[in-house]
Structure formats: C-alpha cells, structure tokens
Amino acid sequence: MISFDEAVEHVRSVARPLGIDNVALSQAAVRVLAHTVFAAIDSPRSDVSAMDGYALRDADVGALPARLRIVGESFAGNGWPGQVQSGECARIFTGAPVPSGADRIVIQENVQREGDFAIIAEPPGPARHIRARGSDFSAAEELLSSGRLLDPRAIVAAAAADVAEVQVFRRPRLHILSTGDELAEPGTAAALEDAIPESVSFGVAALAEQWGAECVGRTRLRDDLEAMRQAAAAAIESVNVVVVTGGASVGEKDFAKAMFEPLGLELIFSKVAIKPGKPVWLGRTLGKLVIGLPGNPTSALVTARLVLAPLLAGITGRPVEHALAWRKLPLATPLSACGSRETFHRARMIGRGAEVLSFQDSSAQKALAQADLLVRQPAYSPAIEAGAEVDTLDF
C-alpha cells in the first residue's frame, strides 16, 4: 500500500497527451490548447469611440460655448469616410471608427443639438473616449499560451483575434464499468427487491467530462467473471481509459482486477493509504489505462477527484497539479486525531472557512451532495482545533 503522494507520482508518470486535434472554435470549449494562439488582426482595428457622442477636434472646444456643424455619422461596422475640419463634428456611436481629423469624443449627454449643429457649453473633461488601434492587442501578438484551458474567457479572446480553428490536445475516450449484483438502473430499483440504484457511474461520468474526457459508455455488470471479462475486452478496444467501480476489495465476488487478467493487466498500484478509498488502483493493458474505484458512492467520488481528475488533466495536456490545487482555509469545526491513513474529509465552505460534515460514511450520498470541499488530514496527525488552517481542495 502506497501513500497518496506516491500515487500522484505514478499518475504523473503515465498521464501523457494522446495527440493533437484541429477543431473549430465553436467546438473547442473546455479543451486544452496544444499550440499558442496569435492574433490575426489588431483590436480594435482602428481608433474607435468608447461612447455615444460627437467626434470633433479638441482645439474646437478650447473656447466655450462651441457651435459645431454636424457633417456626418459614424456607426460600428459602417464608419463615416469623411474628414472632420475645424468647426465641424460627426455624430458617432460606441465602437464606430473615429473619423479622420477628430481627436476627441464628447459624450452625447454633454451636447445640445440644434438642427445640424452641436452646442458644447461645458468643459468636456480630460477623457477623450477614444480606444486607440491595437490598444487591446496587435496582430501577431500572443494571446493564449499552449496548455491554456479554453474556458469562456479564452474562447472570447480567440474569436476576437479572428481565429476560427485551434489546435487542442485530444480528449481521452472513457468507458465506465459498474460492478455489482445489487445495482439497478435509476428509476427501476423500487420494483426490485434488494436492489439499489446504480449512482456512481453517473457521478464519475460527470467528473470525467468536467476534466476533459469523452465518456462514451457506461455498462452495468453483474458479478459474473466470464461476462465481466467479455465486457472488459470490449471496452478496452475503443477507449483510452476504462474506469471500474466496485469489486476492488477481497470479497468472493470482487472481480475488478481479475476481469482484466486475460488482457495482461499490469498493476501500477493496487492500494493507497487514504480514507476513504483505500482500494483505489491503477493499471494498464494493451496500451490503455484502467483505474479501479471503490463501489461506495462517497469513496468512489473522492478517489475520482483525487486520482482520476489528475490523470485526465495530464492526458488532456494540463499539469497534474492543475487538478490538485490545494489551498489553505481555516477549520470551522475541530477534527479528531487521524489514524494510519491520510484522510480526506468531506466539507463545505462556510463564510471563509471549511466546515467538516458530521456524517462521513463512505456510502453517504446526501452528505456527498452537500460537500464542496475535501479537507486533507495527514496520517497520524493529532487533533486539529477550529480556526487552524488546513489544506483543502475544491470537490
């Protein structure tokens, strides 16, 4: 049995990108850039107005009141091609090109219009309300670096740079195999004696998608070793990662590893000294990765967050640490001394602190929904008082 930190190092050693795809920007959300994005154009492409108002020469408002003839109108996407001369101005709107000759925008609230004339009676102030060409970014400027997650903000920047296609790391294809005679499809368990709804694969699939994987299938398996081996062989053919939930302990029907033995499973690690989630394991076969999670819902989701998320981060082109961004928070509630396994308590953010949930059973599902943090407590740690800072991870 290895420590959590050792498990993370093993994950780092195998979490390698699978290749690069060229994708349309409209399909690139939550993908990870494989190559830097450079701007194709200046932004803005010319000097533009930051306000609705009147474009004029600053010298013409040196003496007030000023009475200026309105000689044109400039709109965003349809600028006025003329030139503003002394004693003239042009009506202008936000985002519109500033006409030649003008070097100031007076906002419309400070202008009185009389037919074809604009009257400026009060000093317009120091702001000229002009966004200079290239003041946001210039053509050929680096906007987004390789390894950047294409979140909504990055997508906006890439589109503004006139980029229609980006190069991103390939998404891993993932299949989840859920094991257990007792499992039933949600919505059917009430009619089946001794059945429980199979909930874990739904949460693991959501987490995997969140961390960049494409979940291509979820298969529920009874504890029949031969059928499980057939399902394992079928799953491994078409994906990069197989996740097995349940069957990882030492019971008579715990076949999670045995189902992959005919495929030449090589274990990378088989147990981790953590609570919950000791049975979590990682292996590889036929060039694919297989990760085994405990069957209890809380244990499965905690180990998925601690082990599967970093694995997927690495495969999708991000540092493993991106998925393990620990931050210090004060405890809102005390913790008892820790035993021989490093413990990851389910907690929730309260104000600026972490409140550890009172119900920590590995099978809990209501409490799981209430948690948004994991609180890390080292093995053999003494009791920790409320107010002390602890390592926490968004859950």
Side-chain angles (χ1 to χ4, degrees), residues 14 265-269 281-285 288-292:
V14 297
L265 177 67
E266 173 195 351
L267 284 176
I268 298 168
F269 58 79
W281 57 275
L282 180 65
R284 58 187 152 208
T285 182
K288 314 296 179 66
L289 293 171
V290 185
I291 181 169

Side-chain angles (χ1 to χ4, degrees), residues 23 40 51-52 82 168 175 196 198 232 263 293 313 339 350 392:
V23 300
M51 305 289 283
D52 293 342
V168 295
H175 195 116
I196 62 172
E198 194 286 295
L263 303 175
L293 306 178
I350 298 293
T392 68

Side-chain angles (χ1 to χ4, degrees), residues 42-77:
D42 295 333
S43 180
R45 300 190 71 183
S46 64
D47 292 352
V48 299
S49 178
M51 305 289 283
D52 293 342
Y54 293 82
L56 47 84
R57 292 172 176 260
D58 184 61
D60 282 345
V61 290
L64 299 175
R67 180 180 173 86
L68 307 176
R69 181 182 294 277
I70 302 169
V71 293
E73 291 184 320
S74 185
F75 298 91

Side-chain angles (χ1 to χ4, degrees), residues 42-52 55 74-79 92-99 102-105 128-136:
D42 295 333
S43 180
R45 300 190 71 183
S46 64
D47 292 352
V48 299
S49 178
M51 305 289 283
D52 293 342
S74 185
F75 298 91
N78 186 21
I92 196 167
F93 299 89
T94 303
V98 176
D103 57 5
R104 168 188 279 281
I105 309 299
R128 297 203 177 199
H129 304 299
I130 293 175
R131 297 174 183 147
R133 176 176 179 169
S135 57
D136 188 359

Side-chain angles (χ1 to χ4, degrees), residues 4 7-8 11 149 174 176 200-212 243-245 269 272 274-277 280-281 291-294 296-314 318-327 344-347 368 371-376 391-395:
F4 173 66
V8 171
V11 168
L149 179 71
L174 178 144
I176 302 171
V200 172
S201 72
F202 293 90
V204 172
L207 181 143
E209 294 273 353
Q210 182 182 35
W211 286 96
V243 180
V244 185
T245 66
F269 58 79
V272 181
I274 58 175
K275 182 179 180 182
V280 63
W281 57 275
I291 181 169
L293 306 178
N296 276 320
T298 288
S299 296
L301 266 293
V302 169
T303 49
R305 180 63 184 86
L306 294 174
V307 181
L308 179 59
L311 180 69
L312 296 176
R318 289 168 285 180
V320 165
E321 289 76 15
H322 183 88
L324 296 172
W326 301 97
R327 55 179 172 145
F344 295 88
H345 304 276
R346 279 69 68 205
L368 188 64
D372 56 14
L373 293 173
L374 294 177
V375 170
R376 185 177 188 179
D391 286 326
T392 68
L393 182 68
D394 289 338
F395 184 30

Side-chain angles (χ1 to χ4, degrees), residues 218-277:
R218 294 182 302 104
T219 304
R220 193 174 68 256
L221 301 172
R222 296 186 64 81
D223 294 320
D224 177 331
L225 182 55
E226 184 55 36
M228 294 169 77
R229 284 177 168 169
Q230 292 176 13
I236 208 75
E237 283 185 0
S238 59
V239 298
N240 310 106
V241 180
V242 174
V243 180
V244 185
T245 66
S249 294
V250 292
E252 292 183 1
K253 291 188 175 182
D254 287 327
F255 299 137
K257 300 184 187 76
M259 64 196 288
F260 289 94
E261 286 176 355
L263 303 175
L265 177 67
E266 173 195 351
L267 284 176
I268 298 168
F269 58 79
S270 60
K271 288 182 181 178
V272 181
I274 58 175
K275 182 179 180 182

